Amino acid sequence: MAVVLLDVSMCHLGLTSACVWYGIQGGGWCNDVSSCVFRKSSRRGSSNHMERQLQFTGIMSNRPEENPDFYNWNRVKVRYCDGGSFTGDSSNAAAGLYFRGQRIWQAAMDDLMAQGMRYANQALLAGCSAGGVSTILHCDEFRGLFPSNTKVKCLADAGMFLDTVDVSGRREMRSFFNGIVRLQGSGRSLPRSCTSRMDKTSCFFPQNVVPNIQTPTFILNTAYDVWQLQQSVAPKTADPQGLWSKCRTNHAYCNSNQLQFLQGFRNQMLDSVRGFSASRQNGVFINSCFAHCQSERQDTWYTNNSPRLGNKRIAEAVGDWFFGRGDAKYTDCAYPCDNTCHHLVFRGDH
């Protein structure tokens, strides 16, 4: 049997009036038997291989100079080990694979509530990348754990993985997500507000779930997400001649045609949140950077030179939204207009 354990690191719940659960670690997914068998022997598939300690930075920091609004909250980080954004519920005994993502999620919530999270006056569910997807998929479920008078909100960082066409005209991400849903039996765990009107694979895409989320939610994303650039917009499988190899690793090497294609991706990103952002309860911060995950990195969350929109750093925009200090709807102009970005540049082709 695959080892599927949950390592939960926490501060003492119930000691203050606020509780933040910053979960679920990013770490991608596995969508077929071979990738899942490989994954179960890594830190992303078993607590046997995980680091024993993780540094809390960005939104997890306990220093007011690094995290002004949430530094004195109880903070919990739930390790990511199921490869399905905590949605799986199936098995492949022949391969020794037992997908228990939804059960792990429920067990973690039950444990945290028993330890004092049920007494929180305020709760924020957050996650980055695959954890950002999980945040969106479980947001209303998380809200349902608390009394109606508890302030509960969700923050999805780099979780808007789009159902987009790649440079070869195929939908690489749809094929990939379809493999997850079919292999891991994720369909039963996806929000019924989506599966009642769309197929299950479509409902793994956050763009099809956010229009019906009832809980106040903040979407933090880059318009040129580098993970998606490398894995779903211009993956190697769609670029056999290597025309995108330099652009994939460093945006400065993208030619005019490639940038035009990426501007189309940005437009899709903005369209995917247009209706969502019209709601007063929701927040949006979409900057025109080549990056991925900005809330857990200190340099992008809150420092003197952190990315800004409307002269607001990400931490300030999220804080304004959570505490109702002002409207938090920030959308950047198209690249290359933003000189506050912290772009990610890679060595070698990914």
Side-chain angles (χ1 to χ4, degrees):
M1 176 182 288
V3 179
V4 185
L5 299 175
L6 187 68
D7 183 4
V8 181
S9 308
M10 68 185 66
C11 298
H12 301 292
L13 294 174
L15 296 184
T16 67
S17 62
C19 169
V20 60
W21 176 54
Y22 186 80
I24 308 152
Q25 281 182 308
W29 308 269
C30 62
N31 70 323
D32 55 30
V33 170
S34 60
S35 64
C36 291
V37 167
F38 176 82
R39 188 183 183 97
K40 76 175 186 176
S41 298
S42 74
R43 63 183 174 84
R44 291 174 175 164
S46 169
S47 56
N48 284 341
H49 306 289
M50 291 176 180
E51 310 96 317
R52 295 306 173 197
Q53 290 185 327
L54 291 175
Q55 187 176 6
F56 279 18
T57 58
I59 193 174
M60 296 295 289
S61 174
N62 63 353
R63 299 171 181 241
E65 65 272 20
E66 296 178 348
N67 187 25
D69 281 312
F70 304 105
Y71 73 94
N72 60 347
W73 283 39
N74 296 295
R75 287 145 294 133
V76 179
K77 192 159 190 172
V78 177
R79 296 291 185 90
Y80 180 43
C81 64
D82 76 300
S85 287
F86 289 86
T87 63
D89 190 12
S90 69
S91 63
N92 185 320
L97 295 171
Y98 298 83
F99 302 105
R100 298 291 185 260
Q102 179 63 32
R103 301 187 200 187
I104 294 170
W105 155 270
Q106 191 60 58
M109 294 302 100
D110 290 346
D111 184 56
L112 293 174
M113 294 299 279
Q115 294 199 48
M117 193 167 72
R118 66 185 182 274
Y119 300 121
N121 294 330
Q122 303 177 100
L124 175 62
L125 172 65
C128 158
S129 193
V133 174
S134 187
T135 295
I136 290 171
L137 297 181
H138 288 290
C139 182
D140 285 340
E141 189 179 348
F142 184 72
R143 158 74 268 186
L145 297 173
F146 298 89
S148 59
N149 62 344
T150 304
K151 179 189 285 189
V152 180
K153 298 188 178 185
C154 301
L155 164 63
D157 179 10
M160 290 298 292
F161 294 89
L162 299 182
D163 186 5
T164 189
V165 175
D166 66 25
V167 295
S168 70
R170 297 193 297 265
R171 292 186 179 271
E172 178 68 23
M173 208 64 201
R174 170 162 281 272
S175 175
F176 189 85
F177 277 0
N178 184 57
I180 298 169
V181 171
R182 290 171 63 88
L183 178 66
Q184 299 202 28
S186 299
R188 292 183 292 274
S189 305
L190 300 176
R192 292 184 181 179
S193 60
C194 182
T195 56
S196 63
R197 57 187 176 85
M198 303 184 77
D199 65 271
K200 294 174 182 178
T201 297
S202 294
C203 293
F204 205 90
F205 284 97
Q207 69 193 77
N208 297 321
V209 177
V210 294
N212 296 104
I213 289 182
Q214 301 300 306
T215 307
T217 300
F218 193 103
I219 290 178
L220 167 61
N221 231 97
T222 60
Y224 311 95
D225 184 279
V226 292
W227 192 99
Q228 294 187 69
L229 168 58
Q230 295 174 358
Q231 303 297 331
S232 64
V233 175
K236 289 183 179 180
T237 54
D239 180 38
Q241 294 180 311
L243 301 177
W244 282 78
S245 59
K246 289 187 176 180
C247 179
R248 266 195 298 268
T249 58
N250 188 337
H251 63 280
Y253 294 132
C254 297
N255 61 39
S256 58
N257 290 333
Q258 290 168 335
L259 286 175
Q260 184 177 1
F261 192 90
L262 294 176
Q263 300 298 9
F265 178 80
R266 170 184 177 268
N267 291 337
Q268 291 179 59
M269 180 70 71
L270 298 182
D271 287 343
S272 72
V273 301
R274 200 174 306 280
F276 166 88
S277 63
S279 173
R280 293 184 62 185
Q281 71 175 8
N282 296 328
V284 173
F285 192 104
I286 298 182
N287 52 356
S288 292
C289 307
F290 287 80
H292 184 69
C293 289
Q294 299 179 96
S295 63
E296 62 182 31
R297 286 179 47 182
Q298 194 60 53
D299 67 307
T300 49
W301 176 248
Y302 191 78
T303 60
N304 289 335
N305 69 338
S306 290
R308 295 173 185 256
L309 289 180
N311 204 31
K312 293 280 187 179
R313 287 166 286 191
I314 294 169
E316 294 168 323
V318 172
D320 287 350
W321 161 77
F322 189 90
F323 295 105
R325 295 191 298 245
D327 190 38
K329 308 287 173 60
Y330 300 97
T331 302
D332 210 350
C333 47
Y335 173 85
C337 72
D338 191 338
N339 60 7
T340 70
C341 286
H342 290 203
H343 298 298
L344 293 180
V345 175
F346 301 88
R347 295 181 180 177
D349 198 6
H350 282 228

